[in-house]
Amino acid sequence: MEFYKNLEKQLKLKNLTAYQLSKNTSISNSTLTDWKKGKLPSLEKVIELVRYLEISADELLGTDYSKETTEDEELLLRYFRNCDTGNQKVLINAAKSMQKSEQ
């Protein structure tokens, strides 16, 4: 039932109803009822849900540990994700250099 609670929470955050979810995806009302009773979704359904809700699988499954990070860590991660691969490597190398100099 934890999965379904997470799904309900995400629907609420998006101002969506279970009916809208069912209407706009291939997820039937009976499938939603099964999830409410504790059955877990298939990987295909999880993918469909995260695409429809525009969230991460961690957010949907309730395994989002980002709450344990500081605001600065979140900001750094956002910057990192917005960089191309080359600049991400530059940032990683810079962080390694800074860590070595502090030791």
Side-chain angles (χ1 to χ4, degrees):
M1 288 205 285
E2 193 68 33
F3 166 76
Y4 192 78
K5 287 180 185 177
N6 290 331
L7 176 59
E8 284 183 318
K9 175 183 168 188
Q10 293 302 324
L11 288 172
K12 187 174 183 177
L13 289 171
K14 298 283 185 175
N15 294 319
L16 295 168
T17 64
Y19 173 78
Q20 289 170 308
L21 173 68
S22 181
K23 184 179 175 186
N24 295 318
T25 65
S26 68
I27 299 166
S28 67
N29 284 325
S30 62
T31 298
L32 292 171
T33 300
D34 288 343
W35 293 346
K36 192 171 188 175
K37 291 178 182 177
K39 187 174 180 181
L40 294 175
S42 67
L43 179 58
E44 290 80 14
K45 294 298 183 192
V46 169
I47 292 168
E48 185 173 5
L49 286 167
V50 299
R51 286 183 178 159
Y52 176 72
L53 296 171
E54 298 178 330
I55 58 174
S56 71
D58 282 332
E59 290 171 297
L60 177 63
L61 300 173
T63 56
D64 184 12
Y65 300 109
S66 64
K67 308 289 186 273
E68 298 172 6
T69 58
T70 66
E71 286 183 39
D72 286 341
E73 289 169 329
E74 287 294 318
L75 182 61
L76 183 59
L77 183 57
R78 240 178 288 131
Y79 288 147
F80 180 83
R81 287 180 175 163
N82 286 326
C83 289
D84 62 31
T85 305
N87 283 328
Q88 287 177 345
K89 289 179 182 177
V90 170
L91 287 171
I92 290 169
N93 289 330
K96 285 179 183 176
S97 294
M98 285 184 254
Q99 185 179 23
K100 285 179 185 175
S101 69
E102 289 180 4
Q103 291 176 347

